[in-house]
Amino acid sequence: MLALWKPQIIIPVPLHRRKQRIRGFNQAELLAKELSRYAGIPVDTAILKKCHATRSQKKLDAAERKKNLQKAFQVVGNPAGMRILLIDDVYTTGSTMDVLAKLLLEKGASHVYFLTLCIGNNR
């Protein structure tokens, strides 16, 4: 897929700074760095920021997830013209990827693709 998509940068889904400080790492960033090492595509952790802490998405339905993510993320870098690969650890309803792709495309990214480690069960 990477050969077909030809991403120029890999962006891990960011954690809110408080959650990352508590956890000590961002699992999506660890996945992105390993993929970067394998594929030779640089990782950029500065383009996206999670500016508002949100409730855990785990037990929310699709509508609640969408509402929970409103205004949670911000594009602070310049993705204009870039082919971007977003990385996250779990994909359940796609709400996070939808929000982030929309933000990046609105700021001029040419293409946004995503990969996740696993797909969650939304029950």
Side-chain angles (χ1 to χ4, degrees):
M1 293 310 268
L2 294 180
L4 178 65
W5 295 342
K6 298 179 180 142
Q8 295 165 287
I9 59 170
I10 299 171
I11 300 177
V13 172
L15 292 176
H16 187 268
R17 66 184 177 276
R18 184 179 336 124
K19 187 169 191 174
Q20 185 157 343
R21 188 174 53 244
I22 291 166
R23 182 179 288 166
F25 64 95
N26 175 346
Q27 64 278 14
E29 186 175 336
L30 295 175
L31 293 168
K33 287 180 178 178
E34 282 302 308
L35 182 59
S36 171
R37 192 170 61 82
Y38 169 77
I41 303 166
V43 173
D44 190 324
T45 59
I47 286 182
L48 286 174
K49 294 291 177 202
K50 188 164 187 184
C51 48
H52 297 290
T54 55
R55 295 179 10 214
S56 173
Q57 297 275 85
K58 204 182 312 185
K59 295 182 181 178
L60 303 178
D61 66 27
E64 291 170 323
R65 286 169 186 255
K66 195 173 225 175
K67 185 176 180 183
N68 191 40
L69 293 174
Q70 286 178 347
K71 301 179 184 178
F73 296 99
Q74 184 177 28
V75 177
V76 293
N78 183 10
M82 301 293 286
R83 298 173 68 88
I84 296 169
L85 177 61
L86 286 173
I87 301 289
D88 204 359
D89 59 336
V90 178
Y91 179 100
T92 305
T93 64
S95 297
T96 302
M97 292 300 185
D98 287 346
V99 166
L100 294 177
K102 183 179 179 204
L103 286 173
L104 290 164
L105 290 167
E106 286 174 350
K107 292 292 185 172
S110 66
H111 296 80
V112 178
Y113 306 98
F114 69 88
L115 285 176
T116 62
L117 182 64
C118 64
I119 296 173
N121 188 349
N122 189 22
R123 293 183 193 198

